[in-house]
RNA sequence: GCCCUCGUAGCUCAAUGGAUAGAGCAGUGGCCUUCUAAGCCAAAGGUUGCAGGUUCGAAUCCUGCCGGGGGCACCA
């Protein structure tokens, strides 16, 4: 928000260093002054001093850094808009003139409103592939992390200025699917799914099919037969597959609607089946893949092709020995199809859990070896899975899963209960909206509020704890801001500079508001939703502390006007941050 | 065996190579006649797994070790 001032000062600093003969021409790194209640920007001279040391000048770096900071402070004097300049411990601290700057921040946020924090269009397109559910299976909490990560990241990238394509890749074919179909036509022919919890029902039948297959010596053969009949376009098999698949797809749609997620492009594994096999043949012809059928599968010996002595990429199986396709077969063609569908794609991002890191490394490398240049723009964003306490991985086979439907129901019910206790006056319709907004928010937030590389642990107690660093806390701050504005009559006073000495809590809140646009950019650059979940929480915390320390409505008129504008700025900032995370900001709770 | 990854307060997690390592939860003590207490305030809690190295400066980068998790030919 203050790039212009910063650049002007930076120019002066560089001139000063040049004058002193310091061989340092890099850009300065700026940060906020880390003392609470103070507001300003800071940079250090350690790099410059170190550059001198490297150039042969005999200096003690910290001492020299302080010398340079001192000299720089004298050289730039007191720039416009600043109230104080100091050199401390090698740092140059520039304190803003709080009256001027606080008004500027508040005015800027209010002018932008719902758009506050949006970056300028970058003119670059990125595809984010996420969710990737399997038909004929249930959805559990693990799937939710992927969904939320992908959805939030897509929102953030878009807000940061990217053109975003939200893509889904649905696992609607393969051995597991046909296993389900095999069991269904044997034992459930003619049955139809229930009205509610369709994906759970599909999952139950999937678990049943697994058990039945284990106890059926002819099962594997019969499934292989189904495979070939599907390929040949057998009407009965394809018809049944299509019908049952649709049940899952409808179930997914319900979940996505509930979660507020949409996709721009949906790919299916079944579509990749045929072109995948053709591509495998091509790779064999070109000598990239080795065909060991029928004794073995079709493989690519990646390390050999790269001339690597040590094993690294190892071997990728791209077609089974029985001619059936597998994951890698489809992925090889899907990766290329994405660039065909969107030729201007700058980045093709895969949000898939970390266990598939090697798989993607292999697939991308094989395509590179095959001369597919665009594949350099493909990237895998690996994230860790959601485990149960005791580091137990969820397994539908062992019944150790927390189903999405159950989780949502519990969270919404808990939210309703808390709402009834703390705000009994709400009417039924509003209560319902609050329960859903808070319940859904509370399950979404923790899944994206930790680094991707950290395993998330699910337990009911903390999942349903609405206190502290959690989505309801942020929503509550928004509600309080809204409440003040409502009681003020809705009108926001005209722009005004503060005439009172700003409270440290006001300063802290203003600083966080000013930082939001940078947080959005950083989250987009690093593909880290964590930047936004943290910022949203910090913002809510700053607002709560401000709320507690600084009366608004009962303050004297000049103070009241300024604070009212500050509250009016905080409200959309909180709502925007939540919106990026896919979380609603209800007006009351 | 090879490769990847994680290790920070009792627990769950933060911390663009930079100033005094911060939050939440749990526990302790306070605050509702004042804008919604899903809140706020205070105190307490640390050898950043261990040992070296690089650097003016390391929780952060490198090496080794210890411990947890994951991946390594026809699952996805």
């Amino acid at each position: 928000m203050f790039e212009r001032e910063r650049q002007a000062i930076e120019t002066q600093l560089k001139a000063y260093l040049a004058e002193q003969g310091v061989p340092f021409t890099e850009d300065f790194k700026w940060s906020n002054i880390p003392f609470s209640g103070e507001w300003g920007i800071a940079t250090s001279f350690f790099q410059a001093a170190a550059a001198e040391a490297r150039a042969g000048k005999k200096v003690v770096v910290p001492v020299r850094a302080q010398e340079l900071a001192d000299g720089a402070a004298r050289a730039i004097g007191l720039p416009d808009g600043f109230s104080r300049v100091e050199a401390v411990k090698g740092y140059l601290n520039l304190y803003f003139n709080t009256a001027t700057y606080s008004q500027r921040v508040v005015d800027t946020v209010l002018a932008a409103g719902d758009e506050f924090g949006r970056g300028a269009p970058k003119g670059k397109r990125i595809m984010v592939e996420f969710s990737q559910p399997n038909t004929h299976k249930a959805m559990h909490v693990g799937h939710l992390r992927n969904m939320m990560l992908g959805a939030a990241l897509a929102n953030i990238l878009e807000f940061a200025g990217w053109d975003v394509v939200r893509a889904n890749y649905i696992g609607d074919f393969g051995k597991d699917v046909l296993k389900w179909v095999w069991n269904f036509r044997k034992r459930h022919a003619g049955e139809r799914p229930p009205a509610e919890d369709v994906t759970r029902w599909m999952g139950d039948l999937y678990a049943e099919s697994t058990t039945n297959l284990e106890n059926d010596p002819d099962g594997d053969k019969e499934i292989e037969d189904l495979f070939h009949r599907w390929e040949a376009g057998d009407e009965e098999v394809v018809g049944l597959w299509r019908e049952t698949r649709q049940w899952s797809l409808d179930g997914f749609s319900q979940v996505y609607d509930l979660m507020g997620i949409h996709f721009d492009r949906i790919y299916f594994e079944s579509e990749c089946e045929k072109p995948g096999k053709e591509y495998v043949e091509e790779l064999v012809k070109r000598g990239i893949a080795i065909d060991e059928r029928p004794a073995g599968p079709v493989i690519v010996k990646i390390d050999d092709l790269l001339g690597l002595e040590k094993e690294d990429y190892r071997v990728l199986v791209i077609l089974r020995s029985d001619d059936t396709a597998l994951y890698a077969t489809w992925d090889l063609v899907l990766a290329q199809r994405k660039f065909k569908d969107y030729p201007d794609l700058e980045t093709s991002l895969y949000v898939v859990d970390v266990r598939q890191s090697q798989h993607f490394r292999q697939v991308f490398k094989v395509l590179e070896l095959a001369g597919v240049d665009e594949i350099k723009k493909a990237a895998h964003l690996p994230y860790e899975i959601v485990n149960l306490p005791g580091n137990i991985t969820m397994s539908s086979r062992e019944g150790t899963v927390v189903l999405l439907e159950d989780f949502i129901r519990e969270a919404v019910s808990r939210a309703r209960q808390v709402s009834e206790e703390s705000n009994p006056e709400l009417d039924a319709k509003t209560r319902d909206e609050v329960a859903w907004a808070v319940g859904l928010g509370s399950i979404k937030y923790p899944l994206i509020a930790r680094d991707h590389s950290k395993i998330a642990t699910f337990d009911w107690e903390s999942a349903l704890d609405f206190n502290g660093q959690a989505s309801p806390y942020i929503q509550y701050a928004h509600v309080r801001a809204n409440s003040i504005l409502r009681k003020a009559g809705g009108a926001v006073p005209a722009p005004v500079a503060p005439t009172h000495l700003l409270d440290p809590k006001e300063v802290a809140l203003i600083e966080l508001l000013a930082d939001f646009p940078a947080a959005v950019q950083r989250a987009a650059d690093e593909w880290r939703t964590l930047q936004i979940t943290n910022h949203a929480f910090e913002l809510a915390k700053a607002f709560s502390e401000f709320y507690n320390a600084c009366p608004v409505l009962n303050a004297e008129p000049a103070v009241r006007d300024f604070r009212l504008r500050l509250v009016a700025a905080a409200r959309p900032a909180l709502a925007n941050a939540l919106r990026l995370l896919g979380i609603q900001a209800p007006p009351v709770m």
Side-chain angles (χ1 to χ4, degrees):
Chain A
M1 206 175 281
F2 304 107
E3 281 77 17
R4 229 183 34 234
E5 287 78 355
R6 217 163 59 189
Q7 269 168 22
I9 291 166
E10 189 154 341
T11 307
Q12 284 182 278
L13 292 181
K14 281 180 175 169
Y16 165 73
L17 288 183
E19 198 180 295
Q20 299 296 308
V22 180
F24 180 79
T25 51
E26 290 165 50
D27 286 345
F28 281 83
K29 287 186 282 185
W30 294 93
S31 56
N32 291 331
I33 294 173
F35 313 121
S36 81
E38 304 270 19
W39 196 26
I41 54 175
T43 191
S44 73
F45 287 82
F46 295 104
Q47 274 89 353
E52 279 190 305
R54 272 194 299 275
K57 189 164 177 180
K58 276 202 143 179
V59 295
V60 180
V61 171
V63 175
R64 180 59 177 157
Q66 176 60 21
E67 266 175 42
L68 290 172
D70 261 326
R74 278 195 300 275
I76 63 173
L78 189 61
D80 247 12
F82 290 87
S83 62
R84 187 156 64 93
V85 174
E86 65 176 9
V88 184
K89 293 181 183 171
Y91 283 84
L92 180 68
N93 293 334
L94 298 124
Y95 293 90
F96 286 134
N97 179 328
T98 43
T100 320
Y101 278 82
S102 59
Q103 181 185 352
R104 181 149 146 207
V105 173
V106 171
D107 290 355
T108 303
V109 179
L110 279 173
D114 292 345
E115 292 294 294
F116 173 61
R118 184 183 285 282
K122 296 183 194 298
K124 292 188 203 166
R125 192 185 299 279
I126 182 171
M127 175 184 282
V128 183
E129 182 203 291
F130 65 102
S131 192
Q132 306 112 338
N134 293 312
T135 64
H136 303 80
K137 287 188 184 176
M139 277 180 150
H140 59 68
V141 177
H143 297 114
L144 190 61
R145 187 175 194 186
N146 182 301
M147 242 185 258
M148 293 325 305
L149 215 47
L153 196 56
N155 294 342
I156 291 165
L157 285 163
E158 196 167 63
F159 202 59
W162 285 82
D163 295 321
V164 176
V165 181
R166 292 167 173 82
N168 198 349
Y169 176 42
I170 295 180
D172 64 337
F173 192 63
K175 210 163 188 173
D176 285 346
V177 170
L178 288 181
K179 183 166 78 181
W180 192 100
V181 172
W182 166 80
N183 184 65
F184 184 80
R185 63 200 283 278
K186 266 193 156 171
R187 296 178 177 80
H188 300 275
E191 282 183 33
R192 306 201 51 82
E196 276 188 5
D197 289 6
V198 176
T199 60
R200 173 206 294 268
W201 181 77
M202 297 295 287
D204 287 346
L205 287 193
Y206 176 75
E208 184 191 302
S209 73
T210 302
T211 312
N212 287 335
L213 179 60
E214 278 165 7
N215 301 321
D216 189 336
D218 301 324
D220 278 321
K221 249 205 149 71
E222 292 169 10
I223 289 170
E224 199 184 317
D225 180 52
L226 287 176
F227 229 123
H228 294 305
R229 284 175 67 186
W230 185 90
E231 274 198 311
D234 180 295
E235 226 168 89
E236 191 247 321
V237 175
V238 172
L240 188 56
W241 166 76
R242 188 168 291 144
E243 185 188 8
T244 57
R245 164 186 183 270
Q246 191 59 43
W247 295 341
S248 272
L249 295 181
D250 291 344
F252 295 159
S253 291
Q254 283 173 25
V255 171
Y256 293 139
D257 285 349
L258 204 56
M259 291 296 167
I261 293 174
H262 77 275
F263 295 96
D264 304 305
R265 184 70 168 87
I266 297 179
Y267 296 102
F268 295 95
E269 282 180 356
S270 57
E271 300 170 338
C272 300
E273 177 79 8
K274 216 176 155 190
K277 287 186 170 183
E278 286 163 10
Y279 190 64
V280 168
E281 295 301 335
E282 185 190 324
L283 290 180
V284 171
K285 264 191 210 127
R286 291 173 55 188
I288 292 169
I290 300 169
D291 190 352
E292 298 182 337
R293 286 173 296 177
V298 181
I299 60 174
V300 180
K301 292 187 169 177
I302 307 174
D303 290 337
D304 283 4
L305 291 172
L306 290 169
L308 297 177
E309 298 280 316
K310 225 173 121 187
E311 60 174 354
D312 187 1
Y313 291 92
R314 297 188 165 89
V315 170
L316 180 64
V317 174
I318 59 175
L319 196 67
R320 291 198 188 92
S321 49
D322 66 357
D323 285 348
T324 56
L326 38 70
Y327 195 38
T329 322
W330 306 318
D331 259 342
L332 286 171
V333 293
L334 177 64
Q336 300 177 72
R337 178 171 297 184
K338 288 175 174 177
F339 290 103
K340 202 167 289 174
D341 292 346
Y342 301 92
D344 60 344
L345 220 51
E346 186 85 11
T347 306
S348 175
L349 189 62
Y350 292 70
V351 181
V352 181
D353 82 61
V354 67
R355 292 172 299 187
Q356 291 180 42
S357 292
Q358 180 171 237
H359 167 79
F360 283 111
R361 234 163 71 85
Q362 291 180 316
V363 167
F364 295 161
K365 187 53 83 175
V366 167
L367 287 169
E368 196 183 314
L369 286 165
V372 180
D373 278 347
E374 313 94 281
I375 204 63
K376 288 174 187 141
K377 297 174 180 170
H380 172 214
L381 176 61
Y383 66 91
E384 269 291 357
I385 57 175
V386 181
N387 278 351
L388 295 166
N391 218 10
I392 297 165
T393 299
M394 291 189 212
S395 156
S396 41
R397 193 166 303 182
E398 288 166 36
T400 52
V401 289
V402 177
L403 290 177
L404 206 49
E405 286 97 336
D406 292 335
F407 190 23
I408 293 171
R409 231 188 307 275
E410 284 299 322
V412 172
S413 143
R414 170 94 182 114
R416 187 183 306 274
Q417 184 192 328
V418 174
S419 171
E420 277 163 359
E421 284 163 13
S422 57
N423 196 353
E425 259 115 75
L426 291 182
D427 63 82
K429 182 169 172 289
T430 309
R431 168 98 59 225
D432 203 54
E433 288 165 2
V434 169
W436 279 96
V438 173
L440 289 176
S442 74
I443 67 180
K444 290 173 174 183
Y445 184 86
L447 292 173
I448 50 178
R450 53 184 21 61
D451 198 85
H452 311 145
S453 62
K454 297 275 173 63
I455 293 172
T457 302
F458 177 90
D459 73 276
W460 282 106
E461 197 187 328
S462 56
L464 297 181
D465 184 358
F466 293 168
N467 299 316
Q469 183 160 9
S471 161
Y473 177 88
I474 303 165
Q475 292 169 315
Y476 187 59
H478 175 266
V479 162
R480 284 172 140 185
N482 197 48
S483 182
I484 291 176
L485 294 169
R486 194 176 53 239
K487 292 210 161 137
V492 177
V496 57
T499 51
H500 63 294
L501 182 65
L502 289 177
D503 186 282
K505 303 298 188 193
E506 291 178 285
V507 174
L509 178 56
I510 290 163
E511 180 168 350
L512 277 161
L513 287 173
D515 285 346
F516 181 59
V520 171
Q521 291 302 322
R522 202 174 150 199
D525 290 344
E526 300 177 356
W527 297 338
R528 291 173 79 204
T529 55
L530 176 66
Q531 297 297 341
I532 302 300
T533 52
N534 276 356
H535 197 272
F537 174 69
E538 293 296 329
L539 201 54
K541 190 171 154 63
F543 183 81
S544 293
E545 290 174 10
F546 157 81
Y547 181 95
N548 191 253
C550 305
V552 178
L553 298 176
N554 296 329
E556 55 180 287
V559 177
R560 180 187 143 109
D561 282 357
F562 176 78
R563 286 184 177 164
L564 217 39
R565 285 180 64 78
L566 180 53
V567 173
R571 179 176 59 175
L574 285 162
N576 289 357
L578 286 171
R579 192 177 67 235
L580 293 183
L581 301 173
I583 297 171
Q584 288 182 288
V588 294
M589 276 170 74

